[in-house]
Structure formats: C-alpha cells, structure tokens
Amino acid sequence: MLELQDIHVGYGRTTVVHGATIEVPTNGVAAVMGHNGAGKTTLLRAAVGLLKPSSGRIVFDGEDITRLKPHERVRRGLAYVPQGQQCFPQLTAEENLRLVAETKGGKPVGEALELFPALRPVLSRRAGLLSGGQRQQLAIARAMLTGPRLLILDEPTEGIQPSVVTEIENTVQDLAATGLAVLLVEQHIGFALATAGRYYVLAAGHVTASGHGGAEAIDSVRTAMTI
C-alpha cells in the first residue's frame, strides 16, 4: 500500500533520516519503533508531505507521490493523526467530528462513534476539557471520517491510561481487519507488536532491525532498541 524507499529527509541542511526503507502492506499494520530522537516523526512527516525528502521515493498504491502536496495525498486516501491528541479545544467533541463530517466526502458522525463509543457521553463537552485518552480517540475518529485507505498514527498511546490503550489497540486491529492499512509509530513495544504484522526499529535515523510482529518479537525489538 505504502512504500518509503531509501528516504533521506530532515530539516534544512540537517539530515535526520538516512536511507530508511519501510513498507506498509495492504490490509495490514506496520509499526515503526525507536527512542525519542530516532527520526520516527520526521519519517511520518515525509510520508504525508509535510517534509520533502532530499532523496528517495514515496509510493502509495503503485503511484509515486513523492512530489505531491499534503492535501493531494489526503485526496488519495491518506489520513494522519499527529502526536499529542490534537483537536480544536474550544469546540465540543461533537463539533470537532462534524467539522470533518460536513466537508466534501465526509462520513456520518455515527460511524466514528461506532469505533469509539466512549465518546458518546462527552459529545457536548469542550474537547480541551477531555482526558488525554478521550482526545486521542477523538483525533482518530476525526481522521476516520475522511474515509482513508491508509491511517498514519504518531504515538497514539502517549500519555494514555492502560485501559484506553487496550481500546485503541482493539480498534486499530478491527480497522485493519476491514481492509484499512495502518502505519503506526510507537514506543510502547507491547502495543505495537500486538497490533502490527510487521515492525521496523529506527535508531539515529537508520532502520536497524525489522521483522514480523507478535509477542515472540518482543525480545528482538528490545535488543535492537538497546544497541
């Protein structure tokens, strides 16, 4: 579905990601793991068009989208949920959802609430007053209203209580089962490997390990992240 091929990208003259190659399968989940500063978010920003690679190619569903602008990638089916549970804090949870649902091609709000029923009791509450877990669920729900074919999640479990992490994990797995491709950046190893069919470890901007997901890969990932 999505291929990042030998990507070199950074900020100004500083290269942060050095020759990273990552593939997100159709109908599957790929996880990129690594410590803070490894280049994970920089890589995602290149994938969605917020940063321009100095070299390498980005291919989505067989099309080279390396030079496309972010809104053009969204039209092709990419949805990006940045780190930090972003929302419009002065709007209610329902208004946040309707803002997306009422745009051209937006899906009904009810579809998002089917994914995250815990949002129903807080629809009338300002998004800025929600818990971190509720804001994260709201952010993912908003992204899903665009009808994406690929969902990109940056640290979705950051600052989230364990019970909500489980809910998000189950939702991501359910979405993948419906045919949605997911690119997940995570530091929570257990969550990432339970969700992803394939993983990549990024360190100092280099892919240092990769393999198939699942609980049996935990030791290999921990070892790769300590090197």
Side-chain angles (χ1 to χ4, degrees):
M1 174 63 75
L2 179 70
E3 297 175 58
L4 305 177
Q5 303 173 351
D6 195 24
I7 296 297
H8 293 74
V9 65
Y11 304 89
R13 296 182 179 180
T14 302
T15 300
V16 176
V17 176
H18 307 269
T21 295
I22 288 172
E23 183 175 352
V24 184
T26 303
N27 306 342
V29 181
V32 178
M33 292 172 282
H35 296 298
N36 287 334
K40 304 185 303 298
T41 294
T42 301
L43 186 64
L44 290 194
R45 290 172 65 84
V48 298
L50 297 174
L51 289 175
K52 181 180 178 180
S54 58
S55 64
R57 297 174 70 237
I58 301 171
V59 178
F60 180 60
D61 200 18
E63 177 187 5
D64 188 335
I65 63 170
T66 311
R67 297 181 180 277
L68 294 186
K69 296 179 179 179
H71 71 274
E72 294 173 318
R73 303 185 193 203
V74 170
R75 288 175 183 169
R76 282 161 173 74
L78 273 70
Y80 176 44
V81 181
Q83 186 177 8
Q85 303 122 33
Q86 295 188 15
C87 61
F88 295 103
Q90 296 303 315
L91 300 181
T92 67
E94 183 173 11
E95 289 170 339
N96 267 268
L97 293 172
R98 291 195 180 282
L99 191 64
V100 176
E102 292 173 0
T103 60
K104 184 177 180 180
K107 290 188 175 183
V109 168
E111 290 194 19
L113 297 179
E114 289 178 6
L115 296 173
F116 295 106
L119 291 176
R120 292 184 185 275
V122 298
L123 284 176
S124 61
R125 190 176 304 172
R126 285 188 179 182
L129 300 178
L130 300 179
S131 69
Q134 290 167 335
R135 288 196 303 273
Q136 187 62 279
Q137 292 180 75
L138 178 61
I140 298 174
R142 288 176 57 208
M144 290 307 302
L145 287 174
T146 66
R149 293 189 292 149
L150 170 68
L151 177 64
I152 300 177
L153 302 174
D154 191 359
E155 301 279 10
T157 68
E158 182 185 38
I160 305 300
Q161 63 187 28
S163 61
V164 179
V165 170
T166 301
E167 289 182 22
I168 294 175
E169 176 183 318
N170 292 336
T171 299
V172 171
Q173 291 174 337
D174 290 344
L175 290 172
T178 67
L180 182 72
V182 180
L183 174 57
L184 170 71
V185 156
E186 258 298 333
Q187 290 192 63
H188 191 306
I189 296 175
F191 168 79
L193 292 179
T195 306
R198 186 161 186 83
Y199 73 84
Y200 300 85
V201 176
L202 203 63
H206 297 270
V207 175
T208 58
S210 63
H212 296 290
E216 63 277 7
I218 289 179
D219 289 341
S220 297
V221 171
R222 285 177 175 163
T223 299
M225 290 179 66
T226 57
I227 295 175

